Amino acid sequence: MLCWIALLAFSCDSSSTGGSSSSSSKANLDPDVESRIDGIMSKMTLDDKVGEMTQLSIDALSYGEPYQLDEPHKLHLDKMQEVLVDYKVGSILNVGGHAYTKEHWEEIITTIQDYAVNKKASGIPVLYGIDAIHGTNYTVDATLFPQQLAQAATWNPELSKIAGRVTAYETRASGIPWTFSPVLDLGKDPRWPRLWETFGEDVHLSSKMGEALVKGYEGDNNEIGDKEQIASCMKHFLGYSVTMSGKDRTEAWVPERMLREYFVPGFKKAIDAGSHTIMICSGEMNGIPVHTDKKILTDLLKNELGFDGIVLTDWEDIKYLYSRHRVAENDYDAIKLAINAGIDMSMVPMDLSFTKTLKKLVEDGEVSMSRIDDAVRRILRVKIKLGLFETPVTSYKDYPKFGGEEHAEASYKAAQEVITLLKNEDGVLPLSKSGKYLVTGPTANSMNYLNGGWTNTWQGDKTDWNTEGKKTILDAVKDKVGDGNVTYVEGTTINEAKNISAAASAARGKTAAIVCLGEHTYTEFVGNLEDLALPKAQLDLVNAIAKTGTPIVLVFAEGRPRVFSAVEPKVKGVIMAFLPGNEGGRATADVLFGDVNPSGRLPISYPRHVNSLVPYDHKRTAMVHTDFSMEAVNPQYPFGYGLSYTTYEYSNLKLNTEKWDGKSPLEVSVDVANTGDRDGKEVVQLYTTDYVASITPSNRRLRAFDKIDLKAGEKKTVKLTLDARDLAFVGRDLRWVTESGKFAVMVDKLTQDFELIANDNLYFEE
Ligand code: BGC
């Protein structure tokens, strides 16, 4: 069989030793940095080393109890001495309960680094990490961006890159050089409570957005020592998002074929983009907690993918190996399993048990010194590259743009492209600015529901730290049409009726009712759900208003697509705002009243039925049995869908060849015309399908896309290219392969067949 490219074995070899990074990654290491590490490590004791591998929460350094720190927050100097000097803990994370001011951050980080650098013998600075996932969301008055799923709806990676850059700047302004972002788990299950933290259900879109965000955080050349860049942390490797139950941190069963074809590529792209750290999945996959899976952590991640950065546990996950997963009896066994599998740093996160026990494991010969040295080398590599030895603390005083107008504008621009128009019957939208409106529903007058989780607090459910002056949807609608033309009635909370009949009476005689629905704020297990349908109270609100005959426009602010098919026929307009962030209210009103022509497109399938949660790239078997009055795959709105206030016409889909040898790129071109009377942005989406393949081909797969500006009446020819690798799938022998044969390229409603004629199948590396 002809193989064009030498291939690495796909079935991971469990006999390979933990601890070494692949030769390919070694080739990329900077010799100056490596020799500096040699110098530092030559002076380090075992205590220094196990300390470096420990990460504790700020709780462990503060007055109060873990999870319940005293207010106002204050560092406890005795604890600092014990943790940072006596036990030499190398990394601290998190915030104690709620966002801090940038001044308080500076005080905290300065004090911590003073202990690490001046009081600890080795003088190695601390690596502080934070969940800055949609802006620097744990610093008061930082710029808050749309959450990741919302960003994916823009189909504009450049906007995510800008979000990353601003976040890097403002995180450095808070004295912190490391964010636990992006999430690269594929959002294939709409029930999952972290769906909104993902870039959606498609591998290609998610990989492109993830790559852009990494570059935004780290810089085009990953110059993380620059004081305006930070280190990123890809998470949660691997298979986290597809639990059987749809609930957080429950079991997942993912065959290797699927793992490699769907779940590895997003991480691979970000590793190739230079991301410096990675966090491991808290769950268990195929009966093995990922934190103990050497095949995943060492063979695949470090050796095959060549990752040379820090492999970090998620929260308390080594302890969970005995308290939850039951693959170990105690801390000793759990730490041994995890470190030998390839973990470099443990997010313990509250006590010194890991540090003490790891030392004992080394002394007992259960963990090798070479494994420890590999981990410490990786940690020091990141600390050196971040410039922490030279500048352990950055000061907010050097970051005048923190939380300012320029950054708010970047968030606003992104939010404008997030807003996705899903229904516009009888051209109900855009609404007239001279009308009178009812604004109602639980998400109409809340900044928290626009921002979601990880906003000032973990769950994002407190209002105390919200940025002053930001506009809810209600505020922004009032700005468009004047206070006197808006009646606001809450109608319902997220789950309970409040004054539905008052809302219905207020709807009478109005130009339209803007009904703002959605979800409460949540993340992780707190967002586990029993029913994906929109809560009954919200459906009741729509039904009651529908009876008045006033046209209804629904606006969803939600992290998951809550099923609302029961009322969908009763509404004229539907807008999906996702979790658009602090500027999302303004952006929503811009679209409602036509100041912005919507250009968001769904990065997920919006389901119609709670038992039909099939992603768009399903197999053809998902569509059979329609003859027996069963519905084929029929989402409420498909992946990639979104309307505009103008119209686009596609024509002239052409390939440079219909008999392709797969050696040079296949060039695809298509004409796109704006045939309406408004300027707009269109997302040109290119899908392919394989007619016949040795593994059942997907119905269609997104292979390329481009977001273009088109003026009213303008026509452009869009060119996209495909490599043979773009059509590859993971075959029966677990190798990436593109098989010769017939394919179709699909753009909008146009289809063009071509044939790949190679002498044999084409194989590719991971
Ligand atoms: C979450 C991670 C997060 C970490 C640190 C965990 O519970 O799963 O996504 O980065 O906490 O806050």
Side-chain angles (χ1 to χ4, degrees):
M1 192 169 298
L2 173 83
C3 295
W4 280 20
I5 299 173
L7 204 73
L8 291 172
F10 268 92
S11 45
C12 301
D13 175 9
S14 56
S15 67
S16 64
T17 53
S20 59
S21 54
S22 75
S23 50
S24 65
S25 75
K26 279 201 177 117
N28 295 328
L29 297 179
D30 177 341
D32 292 342
V33 173
E34 297 309 303
S35 74
R36 221 174 137 186
I37 298 173
D38 292 339
I40 299 169
M41 284 183 63
S42 68
K43 295 188 213 107
M44 286 174 82
T45 62
L46 178 57
D47 287 318
D48 287 322
K49 290 179 180 175
V50 294
E52 276 303 300
M53 292 169 68
T54 309
Q55 185 183 61
L56 295 190
S57 172
I58 182 103
D59 299 52
L61 302 177
S62 307
Y63 278 94
E65 294 302 313
Y67 301 105
Q68 279 186 325
L69 298 187
D70 293 355
E71 288 286 346
H73 173 258
K74 199 165 167 251
L75 289 173
H76 191 305
L77 299 189
D78 293 344
K79 292 182 184 175
M80 304 270 294
Q81 172 69 32
E82 185 186 29
V83 167
L84 299 174
V85 181
D86 300 345
Y87 283 91
K88 305 156 202 331
V89 167
S91 182
I92 305 293
L93 86 153
N94 215 3
V95 75
H98 58 79
Y100 299 147
T101 61
K102 56 188 189 311
E103 291 80 5
H104 189 52
W105 273 122
E106 181 162 333
E107 192 187 319
I108 292 173
I109 309 290
T110 306
T111 315
I112 288 176
Q113 296 297 29
D114 179 44
Y115 273 77
V117 175
N118 301 321
K119 300 193 170 64
K120 177 173 67 178
S122 74
I124 299 172
V126 156
L127 176 55
Y128 205 106
I130 197 89
D131 292 282
I133 71 159
H134 70 124
T136 307
N137 42 254
Y138 278 149
T139 304
V140 175
D141 291 344
T143 307
L144 297 179
F145 281 86
Q147 297 278 7
Q148 266 191 224
L149 187 64
Q151 290 184 29
T154 68
W155 291 60
N156 188 345
E158 187 56 25
L159 294 173
S160 281
K161 189 170 175 185
I162 294 168
R165 211 180 285 144
V166 170
T167 305
Y169 181 98
E170 298 199 359
T171 303
R172 283 283 193 176
S174 311
I176 300 173
W178 185 24
T179 180
F180 305 130
S181 172
V183 167
L184 300 173
D185 308 309
L186 211 54
K188 283 226 169 277
D189 186 340
R191 300 170 301 168
W192 192 51
R194 306 191 76 169
L195 182 83
W196 54 271
E197 293 182 62
T198 75
F199 284 124
E201 74 186 39
D202 177 66
V203 188
H204 181 73
L205 177 61
S206 169
S207 304
K208 287 276 181 202
M209 301 301 292
E211 178 185 36
L213 192 49
V214 166
K215 288 296 189 190
Y217 290 140
E218 299 210 349
D220 283 332
N221 300 307
N222 304 85
E223 59 277 21
I224 57 172
D226 184 309
K227 298 301 165 286
E228 295 189 5
Q229 307 289 170
I230 53 177
S232 60
C233 183
M234 309 165 279
K235 65 189 190 185
H236 310 79
F237 194 76
L238 186 67
Y240 184 36
S241 54
V242 281
T243 58
M244 290 174 82
S245 66
K247 300 196 166 84
D248 187 34
R249 291 175 163 86
T250 55
E251 69 192 284
W253 291 81
V254 191
E256 188 170 343
R257 270 205 62 257
M258 194 184 190
L259 201 65
R260 287 179 175 275
E261 188 164 329
Y262 291 91
F263 298 97
V264 172
F267 286 97
K268 154 97 173 120
K269 188 84 160 177
I271 291 169
D272 290 348
S275 179
H276 277 86
T277 74
I278 195 163
M279 190 185 292
I280 301 309
C281 158
S282 278
E284 57 179 72
M285 192 169 42
N286 308 329
I288 303 175
V290 184
H291 283 77
T292 66
D293 199 335
K294 190 167 169 222
K295 286 187 178 181
I296 299 287
L297 305 186
T298 297
D299 300 347
L300 174 64
L301 175 62
K302 291 184 174 178
N303 292 341
E304 192 181 330
L305 300 178
F307 178 66
D308 58 31
I310 301 171
V311 177
L312 171 70
T313 73
D314 199 346
W315 190 264
E316 215 173 325
D317 273 320
I318 295 187
K319 289 181 191 286
Y320 288 144
L321 295 178
Y322 54 93
S323 67
R324 192 184 269 176
H325 297 288
R326 310 276 188 109
V327 292
E329 280 189 14
N330 49 38
D331 225 25
Y332 187 88
D333 291 346
I335 294 170
K336 176 177 150 186
L337 278 173
I339 300 300
N340 285 337
I343 293 291
D344 300 319
M345 184 185 279
S346 171
M347 192 187 286
V348 186
M350 296 297 183
D351 58 53
L352 291 159
S353 53
F354 171 83
T355 329
K356 296 174 188 168
T357 309
L358 180 56
K359 184 178 178 197
K360 173 124 184 44
L361 280 160
V362 178
E363 288 165 349
D364 292 350
E366 299 286 356
V367 171
S368 70
M369 208 52 214
S370 63
R371 179 69 271 278
I372 298 289
D373 283 345
D374 171 59
V376 173
R377 176 169 288 277
R378 288 163 179 272
I379 294 164
L380 292 176
R381 191 175 289 143
V382 174
K383 289 188 175 183
I384 290 172
K385 286 197 188 174
L386 279 168
L388 292 178
F389 285 85
E390 292 73 28
T391 314
V393 196
T394 42
S395 168
Y396 69 88
K397 297 182 196 87
D398 296 329
Y399 297 84
K401 292 194 279 184
F402 174 93
E405 214 21 68
E406 186 187 325
H407 289 179
E409 192 60 21
S411 172
Y412 183 38
K413 284 245 148 58
Q416 288 179 330
E417 294 196 31
V418 165
I419 309 302
T420 307
L421 177 61
L422 296 174
K423 183 173 185 181
N424 195 9
E425 200 173 289
D426 303 332
V428 66
L429 293 166
L431 298 169
S432 155
K433 286 185 189 162
S434 49
K436 288 194 180 301
Y437 297 96
L438 166 70
V439 176
T440 184
T443 59
N445 196 25
S446 161
M447 285 317 298
N448 295 65
Y449 293 157
L450 296 179
N451 278 299
W454 303 107
T455 302
N456 297 310
T457 62
W458 176 45
Q459 293 298 320
D461 54 352
K462 303 274 186 305
T463 53
D464 316 32
W465 294 274
N466 286 353
T467 323
E468 290 284 310
K470 296 298 172 188
K471 310 250 179 201
T472 65
I473 297 171
L474 174 64
D475 298 331
V477 168
K478 283 183 176 168
D479 284 352
K480 295 287 179 195
V481 299
D483 283 17
N485 295 316
V486 177
T487 307
Y488 169 65
V489 182
E490 188 180 355
T492 71
T493 64
I494 296 292
N495 289 313
E496 279 161 28
K498 270 202 110 173
N499 46 1
I500 291 181
S501 51
S505 340
R508 282 180 211 285
K510 296 288 189 302
T511 314
I514 301 168
V515 183
C516 304
L517 306 179
E519 294 194 299
H520 65 86
T521 63
Y522 58 85
T523 184
E524 302 187 50
F525 54 89
V526 180
N528 285 347
L529 197 62
E530 300 302 344
D531 187 352
L532 191 61
L534 198 64
K536 181 174 175 302
Q538 298 190 45
L539 297 172
D540 289 348
L541 177 65
V542 178
N543 278 321
I545 295 173
K547 286 198 188 117
T548 67
T550 298
I552 297 175
V553 176
L554 293 189
V555 176
F556 284 109
E558 58 186 5
R560 274 174 295 213
R562 302 299 292 266
V563 171
F564 71 110
S565 47
V567 299
E568 196 272 350
K570 301 181 183 176
V571 308
K572 293 274 181 203
V574 178
I575 282 180
M576 177 64 157
F578 299 89
L579 298 173
N582 258 354
E583 310 303 330
R586 289 163 72 201
T588 302
D590 285 344
V591 169
L592 281 169
F593 292 94
D595 291 330
V596 165
N597 190 359
S599 67
R601 303 288 182 265
L602 288 179
I604 46 165
S605 305
Y606 202 117
R608 186 185 294 269
H609 305 294
V610 291
N611 281 7
S612 291
L613 307 178
V614 186
Y616 88 94
D617 53 355
H618 57 78
K619 305 298 178 124
R620 289 188 170 79
T621 40
M623 300 186 294
V624 299
H625 302 316
T626 46
D627 303 352
F628 299 91
S629 356
M630 290 168 77
E631 212 168 24
V633 177
N634 182 20
Q636 191 77 60
Y637 308 109
F639 173 84
Y641 185 71
L643 301 167
S644 162
Y645 294 148
T646 188
T647 44
Y648 301 106
E649 252 176 51
Y650 285 73
S651 60
N652 218 9
L653 176 62
K654 280 200 280 207
L655 310 180
N656 63 334
T657 174
E658 281 164 27
K659 304 263 182 218
W660 184 35
D661 63 9
K663 289 181 184 163
S664 51
L666 182 71
E667 289 164 20
V668 182
S669 72
V670 66
D671 294 344
V672 190
N674 180 342
T675 49
D677 55 8
R678 291 195 53 148
D679 298 352
K681 291 176 190 294
E682 168 68 332
V683 180
V684 181
Q685 305 170 31
L686 186 159
Y687 296 85
T688 66
T689 189
D690 211 335
Y691 276 91
V692 174
S694 60
I695 294 283
T696 55
S698 293
N699 183 44
R700 59 189 179 121
R701 291 287 300 269
L702 181 74
R703 302 302 190 188
F705 66 90
D706 193 9
K707 191 163 192 177
I708 56 166
D709 287 302
L710 274 183
K711 299 225 171 304
E714 193 185 3
K715 183 175 184 175
K716 277 186 182 165
T717 300
V718 176
K719 293 190 162 75
L720 297 163
T721 55
L722 295 176
D723 290 330
R725 176 70 172 84
D726 294 329
L727 305 177
F729 57 88
V730 177
R732 292 186 184 213
D733 55 3
L734 298 180
R735 296 194 290 172
W736 279 97
V737 62
T738 301
E739 293 175 349
S740 296
K742 195 171 158 199
F743 293 81
V745 165
M746 295 162 287
V747 181
D748 194 59
K749 293 185 187 67
L750 306 173
T751 300
Q752 186 71 51
D753 288 348
F754 70 91
E755 209 175 334
L756 176 65
I757 307 174
N759 289 340
D760 208 335
N761 297 331
L762 308 179
Y763 291 92
F764 303 92
E765 284 186 59
E766 178 65 60

